[in-house]
Amino acid sequence: MGVEVGAQAARSRALAVLRIRSRALAVALLPAAAAVVLLAGGSTGHLVGGGWDAARWSVSVVGLLVLLAAVGVALVVVRARPAMTPTVPVAEESAPDLYRMVRDLADRLDVPAPSAIALTPDCDSWLEDRTHRAHAPPPPERHDDVAGVGGSPHRRSEAAPVLVIGSPFLWWMRVGELRAVLAPVVAGTGPSAHPDIASARRFVQGLDAAVAVASAGGRCPLSRAVCVGLGWVSRLLLRSCRGHAAEMERGVAAAAAERAQAVDYGLRIVAQEQVGLAYAGWDRLLTRVALPAWRMGRWPSRLDVGVVAALTELSRRDRLAEGFASRLGERPACDLLEEPGLVDGAVSLLAARLFHGGPAESGPDWSPVEWDEYPEEVVDRTWRTNAARLHRVLDTLGVRRTAETAAPGADGPTLARVLDHLTDLSAPTTGPRPAAHGTTGAAEQGTREDGPIPDSDHGQVGQHHADHDDDLAGTTPRGAALAAGLSAQLAREEAETAGPSTPAAAPAVSPVTAAGPDTALWDDRVLPLFPLQSPRTGREILTDHITAMVCCAAMDTAGASPGLDWLDGPSLLVNGERAADLGPRVRSLVESGDPAPLRAWLTELGIRPEKPVRLV
């Protein structure tokens, strides 16, 4: 009963959308119809005279212009390419078990089976209509003598929608859980097959695509004027349809959910818990683990395997998640793929493009990295690169590399140089500096232990505080100057490495038909499409660089090693254990200029800050 109610509500809303389309067509034809009436009246001798002749000409011209404009808008709405989610298509020969499971699920639900399956680097699943001619592959060439004679024109396909599955689900969920999660999604193909709902969806998608066409730049003044009119009409119709379209989709979802209750309902409740867990692990993996690698020009080629490791680690740490580890003995859903490693690599590359804006293919400056190589290839290189940048900025600020009491030969890059420069002599040595005004310490008086601060440094400090008062309000002047220099250096490096924003070439099709993103079907001119994080603040940049310098000193003087924490990203391993108490000590130095907590930590672990470290 609930299925019929939801489907009926969706159909009634679809008819409301189609009525809006019909009214728009009627409004466009109204001036032309008035012109036809006037012309017919003149030809029959009923509407004669100078006034009627002027009305006939004016109304005919207006009707013709409105009709041409309506035809143009209709052509754009019909032919514009609707937006499509970037995915990795999975051919049936590369995942026969997965296709068999989905078709069996559709048979049990008594709905049409999806026409294809695709994967996306996201924790969600949905149906996507790709029947538009712009999304269809090119028609095969015909070489017979009568090619084109009697052949049917290229029409919109009536195929079922494509099932898009979040790739983390395949690796983390078991087969039964994936089946239960996909049941309400596959059930949506039933209402989607109704002609009224399909027509209403195509109309709304066409309007949305027309708005995108009208918003595109780089046109001549005449084209821009035409696009303004196109955009106004499309937005007006889209606003008129918005409420009905939203209610239509709610009706479709309600009908699909009601129909899916007959299939694996009890298991679906348990599987929904795994959906939330997978989302948390995936987000943590991208922001803490993958993002540092992408910034170094390396892309982890097994992100989906990584999310399993991250969630397994979460299960080990969290008492509430202890029961999740027992699931790992069951068959994972990725076994439904013939070559899961190849598909995982394609999804990982697509994730790097969407969330970071990396190239479409591997190259000298954009190469894959395996998880066992991550500590050395990413963590170690990141720390040493940041430490080298920190010392270059210190050189720019005129900070001496060695103190007068340093041992001979210790003129290389040292951690002591950073500590001495950022130490605020007016700060107490037992904790954060209290907020005080009118201090007369060396830092506040604009002097250094090795000489006065140059005028250029004063300018950088003033400019940085003018732009980032909220961010660096609690830091020392030297810290603010160093943060400004690091931010400027990072901006220069990013500007040098960023080339012109041109679409990258689509990768070649792999043997899995599909182990590559379908970049030909979506616009990749503006990447990243979904940035993971906002730009780092000056304080965060300074903290990251000082932490990197401390880690380099620990590795070169105390035998520490780089490591990978699946939940927190790069980590420092001292005697095989993670050093988790470094952050507060670095923040004490950055925010208050007090090096005492950090120096005590270095002494406890046997790290020698006066020793030079190896940089990139």
Side-chain angles (χ1 to χ4, degrees), residues 177-473:
E177 294 171 345
L178 180 65
R179 178 189 179 94
V181 168
L182 293 181
V185 182
V186 175
T189 59
S192 300
H194 193 276
D196 292 337
I197 295 177
S199 297
R201 281 178 168 175
R202 286 196 295 266
F203 178 60
V204 174
Q205 291 172 358
L207 291 176
D208 183 69
V211 171
V213 170
S215 302
R219 294 189 174 96
C220 63
L222 179 60
S223 299
R224 284 199 296 269
V226 172
C227 287
V228 168
L230 171 65
W232 182 83
V233 173
S234 300
R235 290 186 181 92
L236 177 63
L237 293 175
L238 202 55
R239 284 194 298 269
S240 303
C241 298
R242 181 179 301 165
H244 296 298
E247 293 299 328
M248 177 185 69
E249 296 301 337
R250 290 191 185 98
V252 170
E258 188 69 24
R259 183 184 294 271
Q261 286 187 359
V263 179
D264 300 332
Y265 180 73
L267 184 59
R268 190 178 312 123
I269 299 176
V270 178
Q272 288 300 325
E273 299 177 359
Q274 307 305 318
V275 172
L277 190 66
Y279 182 85
W282 182 249
D283 179 73
R284 197 74 176 250
L285 183 75
L286 292 182
T287 55
R288 301 294 182 89
V289 179
L291 189 58
W294 294 338
R295 287 173 176 165
M296 291 299 298
R298 307 296 296 273
W299 54 278
S301 59
R302 295 293 182 269
L303 282 180
D304 292 306
V305 172
V307 77
V308 175
L311 293 175
T312 304
E313 178 67 16
L314 179 63
S315 302
R316 187 185 65 83
R317 296 183 187 179
D318 191 351
R319 292 182 178 180
L320 297 178
E322 288 179 355
F324 296 149
S326 61
R327 303 169 46 260
L328 301 180
E330 304 174 15
R331 185 190 181 194
C334 63
D335 282 357
L336 300 174
L337 303 173
E338 291 292 314
E339 298 184 64
L342 191 59
V343 176
D344 193 5
V347 173
S348 301
L349 181 58
L350 179 59
R353 299 200 67 203
L354 296 181
F355 300 123
H356 184 68
E361 294 178 333
S362 298
D365 299 326
W366 186 247
S367 56
V369 60
E370 299 290 341
W371 290 125
D372 56 349
E373 302 171 349
Y374 187 95
E376 292 295 331
E377 296 293 330
V378 175
V379 180
D380 184 84
R381 284 182 55 201
T382 300
W383 286 343
R384 297 191 187 278
T385 300
N386 288 347
R389 185 183 299 112
L390 176 62
H391 281 279
R392 286 198 301 270
V393 174
L394 289 175
D395 293 338
T396 304
L397 296 179
V399 181
R400 282 206 306 260
R401 282 185 173 264
T402 58
E404 295 179 357
T405 58
D411 57 347
T414 63
L415 176 60
R417 181 194 189 195
V418 179
L419 297 178
D420 294 340
H421 175 68
L422 291 179
T423 298
D424 187 350
L425 300 181
S426 65
T429 59
T430 58
R433 177 180 60 182
H437 300 282
T439 56
T440 57
E444 283 72 20
Q445 292 296 327
T447 60
R448 288 198 182 114
E449 299 168 9
D450 53 351
I453 300 177
D455 293 339
S456 60
D457 287 8
H458 283 292
Q460 288 181 346
V461 172
Q463 179 65 28
H464 190 78
H465 277 281
D467 296 338
H468 305 283
D469 287 338
D470 295 337
D471 175 40
L472 296 173

Side-chain angles (χ1 to χ4, degrees), residues 476-607:
T476 63
R478 290 183 178 181
L482 186 55
L486 289 170
S487 301
Q489 180 66 23
L490 271 173
R492 285 192 295 268
E493 293 176 3
E494 292 174 358
E496 291 174 359
T497 57
S501 100
T502 56
V509 178
S510 66
V512 185
T513 323
D518 43 8
T519 52
L521 303 182
W522 53 279
D523 189 359
D524 60 352
R525 288 175 292 182
V526 182
L527 292 173
L529 298 179
F530 312 104
L532 288 179
Q533 291 181 340
S534 58
R536 291 179 292 176
T537 63
R539 180 183 301 186
E540 292 172 343
I541 292 175
L542 178 59
T543 302
D544 290 344
H545 282 72
I546 295 176
T547 302
M549 186 63 206
V550 173
C551 293
C552 290
M555 291 188 295
D556 292 346
T557 67
S561 61
L564 169 61
D565 187 280
W566 290 109
L567 297 177
D568 296 325
S571 60
L572 180 67
L573 301 180
V574 180
N575 297 325
E577 297 182 359
R578 180 189 172 198
D581 52 353
L582 175 59
R585 292 164 170 78
V586 174
R587 286 193 294 271
S588 175
L589 176 64
V590 170
E591 296 174 0
S592 62
D594 181 13
L598 182 56
R599 288 188 181 275
W601 186 82
L602 296 174
T603 303
E604 179 183 355
L605 297 181
I607 302 172

